[in-house]
Every structure is written in C-alpha cells, then in structure tokens.
Amino acid sequence: MPADLPRSLVVLSGGGTRGVFQVGPLERIARETRISAVVGASIGAENGYAVATGNVGQIREMWADVRRGEDFQRLTLTPFNGLYTLDPLFKMLAAKDWGTPEIPFWVSVVDWMSGRPQLMGCNGRPLDHVFQLMRASSSIAGIHDVVSFDGRPIGDGGHDTPLPVPGRWWQDYDEVHVVSCRPLEDSPPVPAAAVDRSLELIMRWADRMTTLRLRDSWRRLKRMAKGRPDIPFYFSAPKSWAVVHPTFPRKNRDLRAAIKRGLAHSDYMAEHRIQL
C-alpha cells in the first residue's frame, strides 16, 4: 500500500444485519486510505474486526454467504442468559481464522455496574478475549448473551452507543470515516403485525432510543469536525428508510433478498458520502 495515502480512522455503527450497508464504504476507504484504526459498535465491531485483521477484501463474500437468521443468533429460551445466543456468529468468525487485530481496534460497550459506555481496546489480547468484547458490544440486554469481562457485566447491542464517538486520539489521523447502518431520520411507521409480540415491542422501543442516541453522536461528531477543519470527516449512510430492511427479517428468504439489496446499496453509499 502506498505510504503517501492518508491515515484514516474508521468508525462503524451498530445495526444487526444492516451491517451489510458498511461493505461498499469500507472497500472504498481501504482503496483510498491507509486504515490505521477502527472503532465499532455491535455489528460494526464484527465488520471492524475484519478490517483490523487486514481482511476488508473478504467482507463482501462474508455477507453474501449469509443464508438465514440463524447464521447470527440462535434461540435458546434461557431466561437467565438471554433469549438468543450469538454463538453462531462467533463460530463463523472463528472459522475465518483471521487471528488477532493488527491495527488499533476498539469496540463500544456499556459497563452495567457503572451504567456508562466505554471503548474497550482489543489489541494485545488473546483472541477469545477479543471475541468476548465483540460479543458484549453486540448483545442487547435481556435478548442476547449475558457477558462478563474482568468480573464486570458488559453489553449494549449498539443501542446506547449506536455510533461510537472516539476519544481525543482521533486527532492523530489524517481523515475520519463514519459509516452508519441507518439514516438519521426517524424510522417510519410499521404495521401492527410488526409489533404484535413482546420481542418486537422491545425492539421497536430500542429503535427509538437508538435514533435519539445516534443523533447525539452525530452532533458530537459535527462539533469535532468543525473544531479541526484540517481533518476531513466523511459520513456514509443509507439513502433513506425505503432501502433499509428490518434488523432481523422474520423469514430467511426475506433476509437473503435484503442482503443482496444491501450489498448493492452499499456501493451507492460509497459513492455518495458527505463531508461534515
């Protein structure tokens, strides 16, 4: 990779299977910059892991191979450890044999004892610890696995920090690239059948909270960009809610179709990013 390319920091949002929208922007960033650090939340942590291990070129194939919801999570009905486990997702990632992160890599979690979000560095840790931190970042409270790290319960699922904001060290890089899995606008109304079960109601409430937190992060990022006009901030997001599929479509055939559309739209996102 040419040494004169700008050193970039990449920030990836959460979004479940909407993480497919990050593929095109990541490929463009990898072509045009030296990705030198990654921060991810929830599915952004999994995509970020591929980036941090030098495997941007395999992300598109990874998403194209998704065939069913059970590739991500499996129903367990264990009331003390979440309704779903993310074991399938991490079994798939382990099979990739990508190893430990080669470039600085942080994931966003919430420490449930303090109630505060924090970024956890993954470099220099054993792979099982890296996966544990990524699992925590992807685990929605009460829905997914209960995760403890160093004796402290942590989690999030990308709802408290759907778009993680890096610390002051972001100023060490030449460019900052932020990739969101969802638009900033309010999500549109849904039919009654989409919120007729407890899990769907929880997810609908979480979706609203995610919107509010996403906008908070957006405002902070804009202030950061305004304060350092010499460091360009680029933002990529789906064009509108019309192209965004549910976090986890109920039917596997709908998921496969959504992944295919998402990959195509991610290429559109790569070409239509904005500068803050």
Side-chain angles (χ1 to χ4, degrees):
M1 180 175 293
D4 58 346
L5 289 177
R7 298 174 66 249
S8 63
L9 166 63
V10 177
V11 180
L12 302 173
S13 81
T17 62
R18 296 168 181 166
V20 67
F21 289 120
Q22 295 175 344
V23 175
L26 283 173
E27 291 173 338
R28 178 178 180 179
I29 297 166
R31 287 195 305 269
E32 299 180 355
T33 76
R34 285 185 292 146
I35 299 179
S36 301
V38 185
V39 181
S42 194
I43 197 62
E46 280 75 62
N47 283 338
Y49 168 67
V51 176
T53 54
N55 289 287
V56 174
Q58 296 191 44
I59 297 179
R60 183 175 293 266
E61 180 183 354
M62 178 179 75
W63 280 97
D65 286 343
V66 171
R67 308 304 298 163
R68 54 183 189 160
E70 290 79 7
D71 291 339
F72 292 89
Q73 60 184 16
R74 184 180 71 247
L75 187 66
T76 62
L77 295 178
T78 52
F80 301 109
N81 197 39
L83 298 175
Y84 291 85
T85 178
L86 294 172
D87 283 350
L89 173 59
F90 287 93
K91 182 178 180 181
M92 179 271 290
L93 287 176
K96 298 291 184 183
D97 197 26
W98 288 340
T100 53
E102 301 170 357
I103 65 173
F105 175 44
W106 293 268
V107 300
S108 177
V109 303
V110 171
D111 182 315
W112 294 125
M113 293 175 67
S114 68
R116 295 181 179 277
Q118 62 185 92
L119 296 179
M120 300 289 290
C122 294
N123 299 84
R125 300 184 187 273
L127 185 58
D128 61 325
H129 288 190
V130 175
F131 278 13
Q132 192 79 338
L133 290 172
M134 290 163 55
R135 183 188 292 261
S137 185
S138 306
S139 293
I140 302 170
I143 302 297
H144 292 122
D145 310 271
V146 175
V147 180
S148 290
F149 194 82
D150 286 341
R152 301 184 71 87
I154 57 176
D156 184 9
H159 290 301
D160 187 84
T161 53
L163 185 59
V165 178
R168 292 183 180 275
W169 38 263
W170 65 266
Q171 299 180 74
D172 296 337
Y173 302 94
D174 302 316
E175 297 181 359
V176 178
H177 293 261
V178 182
V179 187
S180 175
C181 295
R182 52 185 288 154
L184 293 172
E185 296 79 13
D186 283 336
S187 55
V190 298
V195 286
D196 61 355
R197 295 186 294 187
S198 296
L199 178 59
E200 278 70 24
L201 286 172
I202 293 172
M203 295 303 293
R204 184 64 170 164
W205 172 83
D207 185 68
R208 175 59 181 165
M209 295 301 102
T210 299
T211 298
L212 297 178
R213 296 294 287 165
L214 185 70
R215 289 176 180 167
D216 178 64
S217 293
W218 169 257
R219 288 189 290 267
R220 293 173 63 190
L221 289 165
K222 289 188 72 174
R223 288 196 297 269
M224 292 159 65
K226 184 177 180 180
R228 285 293 304 270
D230 57 312
I231 301 177
F233 273 67
Y234 296 102
F235 181 76
S236 302
K239 181 179 181 181
S240 71
W241 281 103
V243 301
V244 177
H245 57 272
T247 307
F248 285 101
R250 290 186 182 182
K251 297 179 179 179
N252 288 327
R253 67 170 180 270
D254 293 338
L255 174 60
R256 291 191 292 270
I259 294 296
K260 184 176 181 179
R261 292 193 304 269
L263 284 172
H265 190 70
S266 78
D267 294 329
Y268 170 91
M269 289 170 52
E271 297 302 319
H272 292 82
R273 68 190 185 190
I274 63 171
Q275 184 171 347
L276 303 188

